[in-house]
Amino acid sequence: MSMLRGHFCQEVAVERKEEFCGRAGKRQCVLKYSDEFYWGGSNWNLSKCLRRKGTPVFFKEVKEESDEEDLSEDDMEDSEYEEECKKNRKPRGQRFSKKKGSSVISKESHVVSTSVYVWNPLFAELNMASKMFTTKRRSSRRRTNVIKSLESSENSQGSADSSSVGTSSCSTSSLCSTLTAINDDASPARRPKRDKTKKAKERVMCHQCRRPERKIVVQCQKCRSVYCVQCISQWYPKMSEEDFFAACPSCLRTCNCSLCLQSSGKLEISEELSDSKKIQGLHYLIHSLLSYVRQIREDQDKELFTESATRGKRLSEHDVPKSTYNGDERVYCNHCATSIFDMHRRCTRCNFELCLSCCREIRNGNLPPGAKDVHFQYVDRGLEYMHGGKPDPSFLSDESSEFSVESDLVQPIPGWDANDDGSIPCPSTERDGCGRGTLKLRRLLPVCLISELEAKANHLLQNSETELALSECRCCVNRNGSALLCAAFREGSNDNYLYSPFANDVLSKEAVADFRWHWARGEPIIVQNVLEQVPGLSWEPMVMWRALSEHADPNIRSRMSQVKAMDCLANCEVDISTRQFFKGYTDGRAYDNLWPEMLKLKDFPPSDKFEDFLPRHCDEFISALPFKEYTDPRSGFLNLATKLPSSILKPDLGPKTYIAYGFAEELGRGDSVTKLHCDMSDAVNILSHVAEVVMNKQQQCAVKSLRRKHKEQDEREFGHLKQTRSEISHSNEQSTLVDSEAESATNERAGTERAGALWDIFRREDVPKLEAYLRKHSGEFRHTYCDQVKDVAHPIHDQTFYLTLEHKRKMKEEYGIEPWTFEQRLGDAVFIPAGCPHQVRNLKSCTKVAVDFVSPENIHECIRLTEEFRMLPRNHKMREDKLEIKKMILHGINQAMNELERLKSSSS
C-alpha cells in the first residue's frame, strides 16, 4: 500500500533513552515516538524511518543536562551488560533501522526531549499502521505480538508517558485503536481475499508514471489524483509536496504526463469579444481590404478588355469559360510559380497556365529573365579546414574544383512575344509548353463575384459610423519609458524606440490601438512576460520528447527516436538520437578539438502535426499569445488566415517549434544563428524555455586558440580583408562602442537574468541599402562547409548571410543603416512585421514557438514579397507562392461581410 503525505504540521515529543538491541547484540540508544521504537539513537535515524513510512519530520532538539558520566560498552562489566540484554530485548516483529547507532551510552537512561514537526500526524499514524500490517510475508502471529507489546507498554507507563509524549497522547491512543482494528480485520479466520483487480491498483497508481508499485505518494485534496515522490522531484522540481497536496498539476492544468499532454480542450483559448467590438474590428478589416479588391477587379477588367479586342467583340465575364479544379488543389503559373486565384490563361493543347502578371509583362516587352535552375555547390574540405586548418588532401589535386560553383546563370526566354492582336502563344518546350497552342482566357471563381464583393463593401462602409483613423500611441505622446525600449541609435530618426509593453497591460482597448499604430508603421513589437498569463505548462524539450515517445501510435514513437538536426558549423543536416540531442541541449556538445558543437532542430514535431501530436502545448501557446485579434490562428477576426474556408487547402502558418543550442559569446564561425531572411507574412515568436551551458577553462582556452586560426585563415583566403594595425585597433574600438550601445539598449529592461536570443531587425526602407552591402561584401561570408559565398541569387531570400558585430559596424559606416537590436528574454513575444529582414543568434539553448499571421496593415508587404519571389530562379526554395495572398484577400472580405451582417441582424 502506498503512503500518503499530508499537509499540516503538529509538534510532538520524542523520548530518547538507552535500550538493548537484540539484533545488534549490544546496548544502543533508542528513540520512542508514538509507542514505536527506533534504534540508532539519532534524529537522522528517526527521520529516515519516518520518511520511509511517508512522514517527513523536522527536529528541534533540546538536550537535558545530566551529571552522569558517559561510558563506552568496554567500560561496563559483563554482568551488567548481560542483564541489560535480557531486560530490554525488543518485541518480535518490530521493524528496525538497519543503520547502527552510537557506541556511547550511560549507566542510567539518558533522556533527551526532542520536538518533532510531523506532516499531518493522522496520515502518518495510519500510514505506519498500514505499512506495518501489509508488509509482504508478515504473519498474523507477528502482528498480534506487536499489538500486545504496544498495549502492555502503554499500560505500564501510565501517566508518565502521557506527560513525556505531550501533544501526541491522543494520537497514540488513536494509533493503537487503528492497529487493533487492522489486526481484527486481518485475522486468519476472517481475512478477505487479496484484490488483484486493475481497479484496486488504480487507487494508488501514480498519475504521472502510471506505476502502482510506488510506496510513497502524495494525494491531492482537490481532485484526489496521486503523484509519487519520484515523479514530483523529476518532472516538477519547482513544486513542493505541500503544493501537490493543496493543488496538483492536474488541477492547475500543468500536468506533463503523456496522457494529459496528448489531450486537448482543457484551456479556454480566447476571450469572448463583445458584438460591438467585433463590429468595429470587421469594419476596419473591410476598409483595409477594399482597395486591394478594387485593384484585383481592375486588373481582370483590363485582361477582359484585351480579350475583347482580340476576338473583335465586347466580352463580359459570362463569356469566359470556367476551369474545373478541386478545392484541395493549388493552381500556379507555370512561368513564375505565382498562385492563380481567378482569371488566367490556359493553353488549349498542353494545359500550360499563365497568370495575368506574366501576360501583362509579355505584352509590354518587359518579361523578367527566364527561370533556369541555379545550383550552388559548396565543397566539403573536411573538419580541419572548417576549424582554420588545411583542406583535405583529396581536394588538393584539382585546384580548379576547390571553389567550384555550378551555376546556370539566368537567361532571358528567347522568342516568346505576344502576337499583334494581343494574344499570347504557348511557349516552347524549353519552358514546359508545347509551342503550338494559344493561351485562352479562363476563370476559377463564379461570374462577377469580385465586382459584387466590391459593391457590397462600399455599401457597408457608407452606412458605417465607426472611426477608422489611427490615433498616435499614448506611450510616444507621454514618453512612457516603461513601455518603450531603445533598440537603435540612428541620428535624426524618431523610431529608435520600440513599443514593449507587459503582457498584463495589453488587454485594454487602448493597448490594441497603440499596437495598431506601431504595427502600421512597420515596427517590431516586444510583449514581455506572456507566459505569466497561462497556467505554466513545462516547455522543457525532454517533456515534449517523452510525450511523443510514449504516444499511443507506434509509428509516431518510432519516428521520434531519431531526428535530423542542422549542424551550424557545416550548415548541413546530421542524424542524431533524440535523447542525445536533448542531452546536449542542457549539457552541451563539443567537437574533438573542444569547439562548441551547435545544433538546431526545426519543426519538432512537424508544424502541420503540432496540434495533433502535442495538443496541450498548442493550447498553451495560443492562450499565451497577446493581441489575439491578430495572432490567434483559429479565431483571430483580424487574421486573414482564419478567413479561408475549410474546403480550401490552407498555407502552413504554424505553430512551429524551434529548438537550438546557444552560446553567449559570438564565435564568428559555427554560431547558433538563424541567418538573415524575410518571412512571407507577419509572425510572432515566443521564447518558452532556456538552458545555459557554460564552458570550462580548458574549453575556453581551446576556443580562443581556434578563433585565432579562423582569423588567420580569413586573412589568407580573403586577401582584401587584411588590415593594418591602426585599422584593427580602430575596428576594435568601434566594435566595443557598438557592443556597448547594444548592451545599454537591452539593459534598460528590468531583470538581471541574461537573455536567451539576440535579434537584429531591419527597417523596410533600409532594404535596398542592405542588399547593396551584402552584394558588395558577399565574398567575406562563409556558408555551407565554411566555404566562401561565390554567387548570390538574392542576398536576403538566399538565407546565406549572418551579419556579425563587425559587419554591422561596417554597414553603418558605409551605408548609414542600422537594425533594431534587442535581447529576447524568457516569456517575451517578438512581433516581426512582414517585409522586415531579420536575423537571430541564440545566447543560450532556446526553445522558441512561432506562428505566422496575416494582418490587414501589412497586406501590401505580402504582395510586394510575392512579386519578389516570382523573380527568383525556378528551383529557389522561396519562389513558390505558398501564402496565396490575393486568394486570402477575396475570401477574407467575403467572410468579414457575412459575419458583419450576421452580427448586425442579431443585435437589431
Side-chain angles (χ1 to χ4, degrees):
M1 182 177 293
S2 300
M3 302 297 106
L4 301 177
R5 290 187 180 177
H7 176 65
F8 304 101
C9 295
Q10 180 178 345
E11 182 179 354
V12 297
V14 175
E15 181 182 354
R16 177 186 294 174
K17 59 175 64 178
E18 279 69 39
E19 300 286 353
F20 176 78
C21 178
R23 179 169 298 184
K26 61 180 180 180
R27 190 178 175 86
Q28 283 189 339
C29 292
V30 63
L31 294 176
K32 185 177 181 182
Y33 164 66
S34 296
D35 289 345
E36 292 195 39
F37 299 95
Y38 298 91
W39 297 88
S42 66
N43 294 342
W44 184 88
N45 285 323
L46 176 58
S47 173
K48 182 178 179 182
C49 293
L50 292 180
R51 286 180 186 276
R52 286 179 175 176
K53 296 180 179 182
T55 311
V57 295
F58 301 91
F59 292 94
K60 181 180 179 183
E61 182 176 302
V62 181
K63 292 187 177 181
E64 295 182 356
E65 295 183 1
S66 175
D67 298 333
E68 304 296 334
E69 180 182 1
D70 291 340
L71 300 175
S72 63
E73 295 175 2
D74 298 335
D75 296 332
M76 296 180 61
E77 295 182 3
D78 295 338
S79 59
E80 294 180 359
Y81 184 78
E82 293 295 332
E83 185 177 357
E84 289 292 333
C85 292
K86 294 178 180 180
K87 287 168 59 178
N88 299 298
R89 184 176 298 275
K90 75 175 183 67
R92 290 179 59 85
Q94 177 72 37
R95 294 182 64 87
F96 292 89
S97 171
K98 295 183 180 180
K99 184 176 179 63
K100 293 184 179 180
S102 172
S103 61
V104 178
I105 60 175
S106 61
K107 292 181 179 179
E108 301 295 335
S109 294
H110 182 68
V111 179
V112 178
S113 174
T114 305
S115 296
V116 183
Y117 294 87
V118 183
W119 294 107
N120 201 333
L122 178 59
F123 278 175
E125 293 166 356
L126 294 177
N127 293 339
M128 285 188 287
S130 59
K131 185 172 182 179
M132 181 182 299
F133 297 114
T134 55
T135 305
K136 293 181 179 181
R137 301 177 182 177
R138 178 164 294 182
S139 62
S140 174
R141 178 181 177 183
R142 295 179 65 185
R143 291 197 300 274
T144 306
N145 291 338
V146 175
I147 294 175
K148 289 181 179 180
S149 63
L150 290 175
E151 290 177 346
S152 61
S153 176
E154 181 183 11
N155 295 331
S156 62
Q157 292 181 10
S159 60
D161 281 350
S162 300
S163 60
S164 63
V165 175
T167 58
S168 65
S169 57
C170 59
S171 300
T172 304
S173 60
S174 63
L175 173 62
C176 292
S177 61
T178 304
L179 297 179
T180 306
I182 295 176
N183 181 67
D184 293 340
D185 293 340
S187 59
R190 293 178 295 173
R191 184 174 182 179
K193 291 185 178 181
R194 218 172 179 183
D195 190 0
K196 297 182 180 181
T197 63
K198 184 178 181 180
K199 184 176 180 181
K201 292 185 178 181
E202 288 180 352
R203 287 200 298 266
V204 292
M205 181 180 294
C206 174
H207 178 84
Q208 181 81 16
C209 62
R210 307 290 169 179
R211 295 182 179 179
E213 68 272 10
R214 298 299 195 188
K215 294 184 178 180
I216 303 178
V217 298
V218 179
Q219 188 175 44
C220 175
Q221 65 176 354
K222 287 186 177 181
C223 67
R224 315 306 296 175
S225 297
V226 176
Y227 289 80
C228 67
V229 293
Q230 290 88 341
C231 291
I232 293 175
S233 60
Q234 181 177 3
W235 299 110
Y236 306 95
K238 296 183 180 180
M239 292 185 67
S240 63
E241 297 167 5
E242 183 181 7
D243 298 333
F244 270 79
F245 177 75
C248 68
S250 182
C251 299
L252 301 174
R253 299 176 180 175
T254 59
C255 181
N256 56 41
C257 72
S258 58
L259 292 182
C260 290
L261 292 182
Q262 293 166 15
S263 62
S264 183
K266 292 188 176 182
L267 287 177
E268 295 181 2
I269 301 301
S270 300
E271 58 178 2
E272 187 65 25
L273 300 174
S274 62
D275 290 347
S276 60
K277 189 173 182 180
K278 288 183 179 180
I279 291 174
Q280 183 180 2
L282 291 173
H283 272 115
Y284 175 76
L285 179 61
I286 295 171
H287 178 268
S288 302
L289 298 178
L290 179 57
S291 59
Y292 301 105
V293 175
R294 184 180 297 113
Q295 183 63 44
I296 293 173
R297 192 261 307 162
E298 291 176 356
D299 291 341
Q300 296 200 156
D301 287 347
K302 290 179 181 179
E303 192 66 27
L304 188 60
F305 178 79
T306 303
E307 185 71 12
S308 300
T310 301
R311 297 190 186 182
K313 62 178 181 178
R314 185 176 180 82
L315 300 177
S316 65
E317 291 189 23
H318 296 274
D319 300 321
V320 180
K322 183 178 180 180
S323 298
T324 304
Y325 290 99
N326 297 327
D328 57 351
E329 284 187 83
R330 285 176 176 167
V331 185
Y332 290 101
C333 174
N334 289 94
H335 176 68
C336 67
T338 301
S339 173
I340 294 175
F341 58 94
D342 189 19
M343 281 194 181
H344 62 285
R345 291 194 172 270
R346 185 177 184 182
C347 179
T348 55
R349 291 178 176 266
C350 66
N351 295 330
F352 182 93
E353 292 168 321
L354 198 67
C355 67
L356 298 187
S357 298
C358 291
C359 295
R360 183 172 56 253
E361 291 168 350
I362 290 175
R363 294 191 186 98
N364 295 335
N366 57 359
L367 183 70
K372 282 192 174 182
D373 294 348
V374 176
H375 304 280
F376 301 105
Q377 181 178 350
Y378 295 94
V379 180
D380 183 7
R381 297 178 179 82
L383 188 61
E384 185 178 354
Y385 172 80
M386 287 187 277
H387 288 297
K390 296 181 180 180
D392 191 283
S394 60
F395 297 96
L396 296 179
S397 58
D398 188 2
E399 190 70 22
S400 61
S401 65
E402 187 173 350
F403 294 101
S404 61
V405 180
E406 181 183 344
S407 176
D408 297 331
L409 296 179
V410 177
Q411 299 292 337
I413 298 178
W416 195 15
D417 298 321
N419 298 324
D420 296 337
D421 58 356
S423 61
I424 300 176
C426 185
S428 62
T429 56
E430 297 177 354
R431 298 305 176 196
D432 300 330
C434 63
R436 295 177 296 172
T438 304
L439 302 182
K440 298 296 184 179
L441 191 62
R442 296 288 185 270
R443 62 180 173 86
L444 295 177
L445 298 178
V447 176
C448 300
L449 174 63
I450 299 178
S451 301
E452 293 174 359
L453 291 176
E454 181 184 2
K456 187 177 180 181
N458 285 322
H459 175 71
L460 289 174
L461 293 178
Q462 286 176 357
N463 300 329
S464 173
E465 299 178 355
T466 305
E467 181 63 33
L468 300 176
L470 297 178
S471 58
E472 188 175 357
C473 176
R474 297 168 301 161
C475 302
C476 298
V477 174
N478 302 327
R479 294 298 177 185
N480 183 6
S482 61
L484 295 177
L485 171 67
C486 181
F489 297 89
R490 309 181 190 96
E491 297 180 0
S493 176
N494 60 353
D495 58 358
N496 291 329
Y497 286 83
L498 296 179
Y499 182 50
S500 179
F502 286 90
N504 53 2
D505 298 331
V506 302
L507 302 178
S508 63
K509 179 180 178 181
E510 292 78 10
V512 176
D514 294 341
F515 169 86
R516 186 175 297 168
W517 188 80
H518 287 280
W519 194 242
R521 300 177 63 190
E523 298 177 3
I525 295 173
I526 305 103
V527 181
Q528 306 178 48
N529 302 331
V530 298
L531 295 182
E532 294 182 357
Q533 309 300 313
V534 293
L537 185 67
S538 175
W539 284 93
E540 188 175 352
M542 285 298 292
V543 172
M544 294 189 288
W545 172 76
R546 178 177 53 80
L548 295 173
S549 61
E550 297 175 0
H551 201 278
D553 190 347
N555 296 326
I556 297 177
R557 294 199 302 266
S558 60
R559 286 169 53 190
M560 295 303 161
S561 60
Q562 289 283 127
V563 292
K564 286 186 178 293
M566 178 67 70
D567 187 337
C568 296
L569 179 64
N571 196 49
C572 58
E573 289 186 341
V574 294
D575 292 325
I576 185 174
S577 164
T578 309
R579 177 176 288 275
Q580 291 179 358
F581 176 85
F582 289 135
K583 187 176 185 300
Y585 178 90
T586 55
D587 301 339
R589 291 174 62 91
Y591 298 100
D592 294 337
N593 56 4
L594 300 183
W595 184 264
E597 182 181 5
M598 298 296 176
L599 299 178
K600 295 191 305 179
L601 191 60
K602 184 178 179 180
D603 290 356
F604 179 84
S607 57
D608 58 338
K609 302 293 183 182
F610 185 80
E611 187 173 2
D612 298 333
F613 288 175
L614 295 173
R616 279 287 290 108
H617 282 89
C618 186
D619 291 349
E620 179 98 354
F621 169 73
I622 296 176
S623 180
L625 288 172
F627 303 111
K628 290 185 176 60
E629 301 92 334
Y630 288 87
T631 58
D632 195 328
R634 298 170 179 170
S635 58
F637 68 90
L638 291 179
N639 183 4
L640 281 184
T642 63
K643 306 301 182 183
L644 292 174
S646 57
S647 59
I648 292 180
L649 190 62
K650 299 180 180 181
D652 180 17
L653 299 180
K656 304 181 177 100
T657 308
Y658 303 88
I659 306 175
Y661 300 176
F663 189 65
E665 183 182 358
E666 186 177 81
L667 302 174
R669 190 178 295 190
D671 286 297
S672 177
V673 300
T674 299
K675 295 191 175 184
L676 189 68
H677 69 287
C678 194
D679 293 327
M680 61 182 177
S681 62
D682 306 309
V684 56
N685 185 297
I686 296 179
L687 181 60
S688 58
H689 185 268
V690 293
E692 186 173 9
V693 178
V694 181
M695 291 192 302
N696 54 37
K697 292 184 178 180
Q698 182 184 6
Q699 191 176 14
Q700 291 176 0
C701 295
V703 168
K704 190 178 296 184
S705 175
L706 288 171
R707 290 186 67 178
R708 286 195 296 266
K709 294 179 64 177
H710 295 168
K711 186 176 181 180
E712 294 173 358
Q713 185 185 47
D714 291 340
E715 294 178 353
R716 188 169 57 251
E717 296 184 357
F718 311 149
H720 57 283
L721 295 180
K722 292 183 179 180
Q723 298 174 318
T724 62
R725 292 181 179 271
S726 60
E727 290 174 336
I728 295 175
S729 175
H730 176 69
S731 172
N732 292 336
E733 292 176 0
Q734 293 294 330
S735 298
T736 305
L737 177 61
V738 174
D739 193 14
S740 62
E741 289 178 349
E743 184 177 358
S744 64
T746 55
N747 285 342
E748 289 190 1
R749 302 171 61 186
T752 57
E753 182 184 355
R754 298 197 62 184
L758 180 67
W759 286 72
D760 294 309
I761 303 180
F762 289 86
R763 299 185 298 181
R764 294 167 179 165
E765 54 266 34
D766 293 338
V767 170
K769 294 182 179 180
L770 174 62
E771 293 181 2
Y773 175 84
L774 293 175
R775 291 186 184 277
K776 177 182 177 181
H777 297 275
S778 61
E780 303 173 15
F781 293 86
R782 297 181 183 272
H783 192 45
T784 305
Y785 303 125
C786 292
D787 201 358
Q788 183 183 13
V789 176
K790 286 289 187 178
D791 203 356
V792 178
H794 193 284
I796 296 177
H797 302 322
D798 290 351
Q799 298 189 25
T800 56
F801 301 106
Y802 178 82
L803 293 164
T804 61
L805 189 62
E806 172 66 18
H807 277 291
K808 287 187 286 185
R809 179 195 64 80
K810 291 172 62 177
M811 182 175 56
K812 187 173 183 178
E813 289 180 353
E814 296 181 13
Y815 291 88
I817 61 175
E818 176 187 353
W820 288 294
T821 301
F822 57 90
E823 291 179 345
Q824 183 186 19
R825 300 177 185 273
L826 180 64
D828 285 357
V830 178
F831 286 78
I832 310 101
C836 289
H838 56 279
Q839 61 181 19
V840 188
R841 183 171 70 86
N842 297 313
L843 307 177
K844 295 179 181 178
S845 294
C846 296
T847 299
K848 295 191 283 286
V849 189
V851 66
D852 296 338
F853 61 97
V854 182
S855 63
E857 293 84 358
N858 294 326
I859 292 178
H860 64 286
E861 285 299 318
C862 296
I863 296 176
R864 183 186 65 83
L865 288 172
T866 301
E867 292 297 317
E868 284 189 2
F869 293 159
R870 62 186 292 267
M871 300 295 180
L872 295 174
R874 185 170 56 185
N875 64 331
H876 200 283
K877 59 183 178 181
M878 296 296 296
R879 187 168 184 259
E880 183 180 356
D881 182 15
K882 299 178 181 179
L883 187 61
E884 301 183 283
I885 182 62
K886 293 184 179 180
K887 179 190 294 186
M888 201 174 287
I889 290 172
L890 297 178
H891 286 286
I893 195 170
N894 183 37
Q895 183 72 14
M897 289 189 296
N898 293 337
E899 188 173 354
L900 181 61
E901 289 180 340
R902 181 183 59 81
L903 290 174
K904 286 185 176 181
S905 62
S906 62
S907 61
S908 61

